[in-house]
Amino acid sequence: MRYRNLLLFCLLAAAWGSAFMAIKAGIGDTTAPAYFFDAPVLFAAVRYDIAGVLMLGYTVWAVDRWRPRTRSEWLLVAVGSVFLIAGYHALLFIGERGTTSAAAAVIVSLSPILTTAFARAFLPDERLTVVGIVGMVLALAGVIIIARPAPANLIESRFEALVFGATLCFAFGSVLTRRIETDLPIETMEAWSMLGGAALMHALSAGLDESVSGMPSPRAIAALAYLAVVASAAGFLIYFDLLERLGPIEINLVSYVAPVFAALAGFLFLGELIDLPTALGFLVILVGFVLIKRRAIREELSRQGG
């Protein structure tokens, strides 16, 4: 299982990269509103109602401790609920209504940089070298090449500001969950964080007076099911496992790879063209990752050669 982390990392990038399309299918945008357009926080809350119940059922079946017990364990769940689930998804879903997926992808890809900044304050051992930082900047450049958002979309809209707020929540929450040391199983932490985050988003949705009427379209149901089962339940199970193994800086590099899978999913399922700039963006991201992971790659090559 030497390549376990790499395989899980790619699976997570694929699940979260394709999730951008599913979010758009559920809420649409200002030009083509979908079923949940006027209730994006409710959409996110229902997503985690489903995911949380699924994960809690799995937790009861798979692990001995299906609920937190100590104060530190409940604190860990609270951090996950507030920052990783409620804060991130409520702001992201509202922001996605008024911005392009390209602009959102670039803003979310700031997560590793923000995580590095938070880690310097809270996790002194989680540091990147100068070469690693150069690799991170290159990977971000690759995402920008792929997405090619209009500059105005990044700086002139409150919707982009909301997506940036979501990214801040996720980066900060990732570092805090790493800092709080407990023996709580990953499955238990994930299930209760999802249920807590869903409850917070339902409260926020009620405060915003969101509502929907009639039955959701098959497209909205399919988007909700995909987001709940694949991107949320399975995705966060992988995420928290890798967070424990790799640390917040390395695991949040997934936001650089996710746009690659978003482009591939668009090509396979929507017939979107992968043009030369997109291919160039893939290459730049690859170079950035090689710089960041150069030591692990060097060790693996020497092991293969030996």
Side-chain angles (χ1 to χ4, degrees), residues 44-254:
V46 174
R47 167 187 176 178
Y48 280 98
D49 287 336
I50 299 170
V53 169
L54 289 175
M55 276 308 304
L56 185 60
Y58 175 74
T59 299
V60 171
W61 174 77
V63 301
D64 294 332
R65 287 207 298 132
W66 62 272
R67 66 181 179 86
R69 294 172 182 168
T70 67
R71 181 180 300 178
S72 60
E73 289 175 352
W74 281 111
L75 177 61
L76 181 64
V77 168
V79 169
S81 299
V82 172
F83 293 103
L84 298 180
I85 304 299
Y88 174 70
H89 291 91
L91 293 172
L92 177 64
F93 276 46
I94 296 173
E96 279 258 6
R97 291 190 310 167
T99 188
T100 65
S101 294
V106 171
I107 297 169
V108 170
S109 293
L110 294 173
S111 179
I113 296 173
L114 296 172
T115 302
T116 302
F118 286 129
R120 283 187 171 273
F122 296 100
L123 300 171
D125 293 335
E126 298 280 348
R127 297 284 181 92
L128 281 177
T129 63
V130 173
V131 177
I133 292 173
V134 171
M136 184 180 290
V137 173
L138 270 177
L140 177 61
V143 173
I144 295 173
I145 292 171
I146 292 173
R148 281 166 285 167
N153 287 337
L154 292 174
I155 60 176
E156 293 182 1
S157 170
R158 61 187 175 90
F159 292 105
E160 281 71 35
L162 290 170
V163 176
F164 181 72
T167 307
L168 277 173
C169 280
F170 199 87
F172 186 61
S174 297
V175 172
L176 281 187
T177 54
R178 177 74 169 183
R179 184 178 175 87
I180 302 171
E181 296 183 2
T182 72
D183 295 324
L184 189 67
I186 292 171
E187 296 87 350
T188 308
M189 183 268 186
E190 178 181 344
W192 287 94
S193 293
M194 287 180 171
L195 292 172
L200 290 173
M201 287 189 287
H202 275 296
L204 178 59
S205 176
L208 295 173
D209 200 25
E210 291 184 343
S211 64
V212 292
S213 59
M215 287 295 294
S217 65
R219 177 180 175 180
I221 293 174
L224 186 60
Y226 181 82
L227 289 169
V229 177
V230 178
S232 299
F236 269 99
L237 189 61
I238 295 172
Y239 175 81
F240 286 123
D241 179 59
L242 290 178
L243 177 63
E244 190 173 290
R245 294 170 179 272
L246 302 179
I249 294 176
E250 285 202 41
I251 183 53
N252 279 352
L253 293 174
V254 73

